[in-house]
Structure formats: structure tokens, C-alpha cells
Amino acid sequence: MERIVEYYFNADVIAGAFPQVLAGFRTTVIVSLLIIVCGTLFGLSLALLRCANLRPVNFIITAYVDVLRTLPQLVVIVFIYFGLPYLGPTLSPFATTVLALGMVLSAFSTEIFWSAIMALPRGQWDAASALGFSRLRTLITIILPQAVRLAIPLLTNRAISISKGTALGTAVSLPETLGQAQSVMALVANPSPLTLAAAFYLTFFLPLVIASRWIEYRYSTGR
């Protein structure tokens, strides 16, 4: 037991690592929130764009969604960070992680929103048309609110799952929680900083998981 405390709960090591890991935790929180906001909004935009029924546009969106849903998140991060400079732009580790994981989340969000839109009865479109509503007005005022309600449970779980991928940013030197903890651990030869990092992850993601359960309950069909 003493060895476990010494190696994983060493108070002196944790105290020394706290400032650096805390700085990494701030980065984790900011990156995660940006991923959730950007990925969700872009995914919703693509789903709405698909409603225009333009074949070339739908083909591009479908290909985008299928590719990003298939590739591992780490591959997307590494490809953008190391491959994009050959085309011109060079992104920082921060921007790379936000862009890569935001794109992955947008692909899943697009499919979730589109499935929710398609799940609504076709009769609602026909009824709105009979009342003189334009297709755009029907989509915005009638279809979209219902689709969002249906999509929220799946979307919250997916958003949390993908935002936890911020730890993969260490592959491109993003100074987030896990990366900072590993840096300190290498210096002190003690894994206690990883325990501190785990505590920070729980502090941020556990409330999100609890909130997602509440949202899922609140917006479940028939509640």
C-alpha cells in the first residue's frame, strides 16, 4: 500500500506538478469547448445544406462524413499537422487539434442531425406547404426544432466522446493536461502527475457526462 501511495499519490510530487498540469488543463478545457461548439454548428450547417437536395453538394458532404467517420482521430490530427504545410498553411498544435477533432465531430453531427430530420413524418412538409409555407420557412420553424430535440441525446454523447480526444494532441506537442503530466513524470520519475491529470479530467468531463444524462432524459421521445 505504501508503494502505491509513493508512486501514484505522492503529495510532494503532485504539489510540484500542479502548476504545470493546471496550465495544461486550461488548454484542455478551451480546446474541448471549441471542438464541441465548432463541430456541432458546422455539422448542423451541413445537415441543413443537404436539405437543398443538390446532388453534387450531397455527394461531397456524404464523402466528407464517411471519410471522417472512418479515420481514427489521431490520423486526422497527424495528417493536418504534418500534411497541410505541403499545401501552404501551417497550423499550431492548438489550431490543429481544434480543426481536426472539430471536423470529426462535425461529420458525426451532420449524420445525427440529418437522421433526425429524415425521421420526422413527410406529412409535416406537405401540411406546411398546403398552408403556404416556403420550404426554407418549414425547415427553420417546424422541422429543425423537432430534429434538434431528437438529435440532442446522441449528439451530447458523441460530443463528449470526441472532445476527450484532446489528449491525442500530445502527438503534435499540444501542451494539454496529459502531455504536461507526462513531461513532469519524465523529470521526477514518478507517475503521480498522471493521477493529478486523471483528477483534472474527472473534474471537467464527469459533470459533462452527468449533464448529458440529464439532457438525454429531458429530451427523450415521450418525456
Side-chain angles (χ1 to χ4, degrees), residues 120-139:
L120 297 174
R122 176 67 194 179
Q124 296 197 28
W125 291 92
D126 297 334
S129 178
L131 292 172
F133 282 48
S134 67
R135 185 175 177 83
L136 179 60
R137 184 182 177 188
T138 301
L139 177 62

Side-chain angles (χ1 to χ4, degrees), residues 35 64 76 80 84 91 94-104 106:
I35 289 168
Y64 172 86
V76 180
I80 290 177
L84 205 57
L91 300 180
F94 183 96
T96 297
T97 306
V98 171
L99 176 60
L101 297 184
M103 289 172 61
V104 173
S106 73

Side-chain angles (χ1 to χ4, degrees), residues 173-185:
S173 302
L174 178 71
E176 53 78 58
T177 309
L178 180 61
Q180 298 295 74
Q182 289 176 327
S183 296
V184 178
M185 182 182 70

Side-chain angles (χ1 to χ4, degrees), residues 38-122:
C38 296
T40 301
L41 292 179
F42 189 54
L44 177 58
S45 300
L46 292 180
L48 294 177
L49 191 57
R50 287 189 68 177
C51 293
N53 289 328
L54 301 173
R55 281 193 176 182
V57 173
N58 285 352
F59 176 80
I60 294 172
I61 293 175
T62 301
Y64 172 86
V65 169
D66 289 346
V67 169
L68 287 171
R69 289 176 64 196
T70 303
L71 290 175
Q73 296 174 23
L74 181 58
V75 171
V76 180
I77 292 173
V78 171
F79 179 80
I80 290 177
Y81 188 75
F82 294 103
L84 205 57
Y86 288 102
L87 300 177
T90 300
L91 300 180
S92 67
F94 183 96
T96 297
T97 306
V98 171
L99 176 60
L101 297 184
M103 289 172 61
V104 173
L105 178 57
S106 73
F108 283 96
S109 299
T110 301
E111 198 65 17
I112 291 171
F113 282 122
W114 178 248
S115 298
I117 291 172
M118 291 295 99
L120 297 174
R122 176 67 194 179

Side-chain angles (χ1 to χ4, degrees), residues 19-51:
Q20 188 170 339
V21 179
L22 178 61
F25 178 62
R26 292 195 198 98
T27 300
T28 296
V29 171
I30 294 171
V31 170
S32 297
L33 293 178
L34 286 173
I35 289 168
I36 293 173
V37 172
C38 296
T40 301
L41 292 179
F42 189 54
L44 177 58
S45 300
L46 292 180
L48 294 177
L49 191 57
R50 287 189 68 177
C51 293

